[in-house]
Amino acid sequence: MAVALDRIRVGSAPDSWGVWFPDDPRQVPWQRFLDEVAEAGYSWIELGPYGYLPTDPARLRDEVRKRGLKVSAGTIFCGLHRGPSEWDSTWEQVSRVAALTQAMDAEHLVVIPSFWRDDKTAEILEEPELTTEQWGHLTRGMERLGREVKDTYGLDIVVHPHADTHIDTEEHVERFLDSTDSGLVNLCLDTGHYAYCGGDSVKLIETYGERIGYLHLKQVDPEILADVVKNEVPFGPAVQRGVMCEPPAGVPELGPVLTAAQKLGVDLFAIVEQDMYPCEPDKPLPIAVRTRTFLRSCGA
């Protein structure tokens, strides 16, 4: 019998409905996303790209509540490794997203580092490896962001290791954690991205458990991933090839990940994200229903 995962709060996100952008004709309308995520049996959602869901707090609160939903987090991208010159533009974005996140009574802001190569064209935008100076900018910048987001909006930032960013592999993730203050910055462990970049989620949870502040549940198809790595395919085209797959078909096994997270003894969000941009509008709901059923079988 599955272990009761009573510290894990499961949800989903616009990403699992093929939503990557605030506005795109290939994406399902936001009303349909909200209807279907509730129909699939989830009670928690993320905001997704700012502007996809209504940005007026009163309207969004009404739309979410009437479907029995609650918001767990907002999301921002930033390039703080570039130094203090990035701060003003970063804070302008953060202030919009964090204010809406706060207004929805959520407590987390998911922070994704900027991409070093274009996720559509594969154009190399920056070097994949940071210099020592850039690592310093990144860690100090994230600590400042954590402090100011907490002071201004009462939110905790959780940094999301992501394919084709500078925080991706086990080596980079551990360096980032070892270089930052746990009182200011913790991790959003995305099981799919970490596996995509060669990491072991259970090992990370068991080693750096006090730094795990949030989970994204995702799996990768190992065969497609092997070809993606071999041919240096950027993340966007890799998603179109189906590298992120429906659980339980891929890796890592989510049952052991959730059990390891439960053993931390803290309340954690575990938000399902199956990257599917772009996808047919009728595709997400059946997958979401099956995934929710699977997670229940794991005890979540």
Side-chain angles (χ1 to χ4, degrees):
M1 185 175 175
V3 174
L5 303 173
D6 59 357
R7 305 302 294 265
I8 308 297
R9 293 171 285 182
V10 171
S12 193
D15 183 59
S16 294
W17 267 255
V19 175
W20 276 12
F21 302 101
D23 183 39
D24 188 305
R26 293 190 287 183
Q27 297 175 169
V28 297
W30 63 266
Q31 296 94 333
R32 180 170 178 177
F33 160 69
L34 291 178
D35 289 343
E36 291 188 351
V37 74
E39 183 181 341
Y42 294 101
S43 55
W44 293 94
I45 61 165
E46 290 183 354
L47 294 177
Y50 182 80
Y52 174 66
L53 295 175
T55 56
D56 173 69
R59 185 182 183 199
L60 181 57
R61 194 178 297 115
D62 178 62
E63 294 286 354
V64 166
R65 285 179 178 171
K66 74 183 184 184
R67 294 170 172 87
L69 299 170
K70 293 172 282 188
V71 175
S72 61
T75 303
I76 65 119
F77 287 82
C78 65
L80 293 173
H81 66 283
R82 299 186 192 112
S85 61
E86 285 286 307
W87 180 260
D88 288 348
S89 61
T90 298
W91 189 252
E92 183 181 2
Q93 177 198 179
V94 166
S95 59
R96 290 194 303 269
V97 178
L100 184 59
T101 303
Q102 179 191 44
M104 299 308 295
D105 298 322
E107 297 176 357
H108 296 89
L109 186 68
V110 177
V111 180
I112 301 177
S114 57
F115 285 46
W116 55 259
R117 68 176 165 187
D118 190 286
D119 66 340
K120 290 182 179 178
T121 67
E123 177 190 357
I124 303 297
L125 306 172
E126 299 182 73
E127 288 295 322
E129 291 287 337
L130 296 178
T131 65
T132 301
E133 181 183 33
Q134 288 172 321
W135 269 109
H137 289 321
L138 175 64
T139 55
R140 288 191 299 272
M142 287 294 191
E143 287 179 333
R144 179 183 178 189
L145 188 64
R147 183 183 300 110
E148 300 208 15
V149 165
K150 187 71 171 179
D151 289 348
T152 308
Y153 298 102
L155 306 177
D156 293 321
I157 73 165
V158 282
V159 176
H160 180 322
H162 196 292
D164 289 359
T165 77
H166 295 110
I167 306 178
D168 51 1
T169 62
E170 178 180 314
E171 178 188 0
H172 288 161
V173 169
E174 291 187 355
R175 180 172 180 174
F176 179 75
L177 291 174
D178 290 342
S179 305
T180 49
D181 182 345
S182 62
L184 299 172
V185 178
N186 285 303
L187 209 66
C188 168
L189 170 58
D190 184 303
T191 61
H193 280 280
Y194 201 49
Y196 186 107
C197 299
D200 180 332
S201 288
V202 171
K203 177 185 173 186
L204 187 68
I205 293 169
E206 291 176 345
T207 309
Y208 285 89
E210 74 283 357
R211 303 300 299 275
I212 307 297
Y214 199 93
L215 296 171
H216 279 171
L217 301 181
K218 189 178 297 180
Q219 286 190 325
V220 294
D221 181 312
E223 290 186 11
I224 296 175
L225 179 62
D227 185 65
V228 162
V229 172
K230 178 182 175 184
N231 294 295
E232 299 183 355
V233 178
F235 182 65
V239 166
Q240 292 183 29
R241 293 185 185 194
V243 72
M244 299 297 184
C245 62
E246 177 181 344
V251 295
E253 286 187 65
L254 294 180
V257 171
L258 290 166
T259 299
Q262 169 74 17
K263 288 178 180 176
L264 296 177
V266 297
D267 293 330
L268 284 174
F269 283 107
I271 305 298
V272 176
E273 283 196 331
Q274 184 183 343
D275 294 311
M276 292 195 295
Y277 177 85
C279 72
E280 294 299 317
D282 293 336
K283 184 178 178 182
L285 177 59
I287 292 175
V289 171
R290 290 192 297 266
T291 301
R292 188 70 193 93
T293 300
F294 165 70
L295 291 173
R296 285 195 182 98
S297 77
C298 295

